[in-house]
Amino acid sequence: MSRRRLGWAHSRAGAALPPPQGERCPYCRRPMWRSQRLDADHPVPRALGDAPVPLRWSHSTCNRRAGAELGNALRGGYRERWVDRWA
């Protein structure tokens, strides 16, 4: 399965983020290090409107799990519950 690219602006913004030095992942709260697989994460999910705020680091697995859960919830008709979670 191919991954959908987010574009030049997203790649550039992610490259501009300082590498993490033990900061906590916003999802699992474990420390993040530059040697780990990390994603530039949108604090407000793109599916819910993605306000133009700076990106943040998160573990790749945590970020993708959260995105999958949100996608499944939106397909299942649970949008209101997820919108409230990020409101």
Side-chain angles (χ1 to χ4, degrees):
M1 180 165 116
S2 66
R3 287 184 35 200
R4 192 170 99 197
R5 297 288 180 183
L6 299 176
W8 178 80
H10 181 79
S11 296
R12 187 170 173 128
L17 286 174
Q21 298 294 327
E23 291 92 354
R24 303 255 177 220
C25 173
Y27 298 107
C28 68
R29 308 304 299 158
R30 291 186 314 231
M32 297 180 292
W33 304 99
R34 69 173 33 182
S35 61
Q36 296 173 319
R37 294 190 61 197
L38 302 171
D39 282 346
D41 178 37
H42 294 88
V44 177
R46 292 178 40 189
L48 298 179
D50 185 29
V53 295
L55 299 175
R56 62 185 179 184
W57 288 115
S58 67
H59 291 116
S60 292
T61 55
C62 296
N63 185 31
R64 293 166 193 207
R65 183 181 309 120
E69 288 176 3
L70 175 60
N72 291 337
L74 294 178
R75 278 189 295 282
Y78 301 107
R79 184 179 181 92
E80 295 80 23
R81 184 175 67 189
W82 281 87
V83 170
D84 290 343
R85 180 176 174 179
W86 272 283

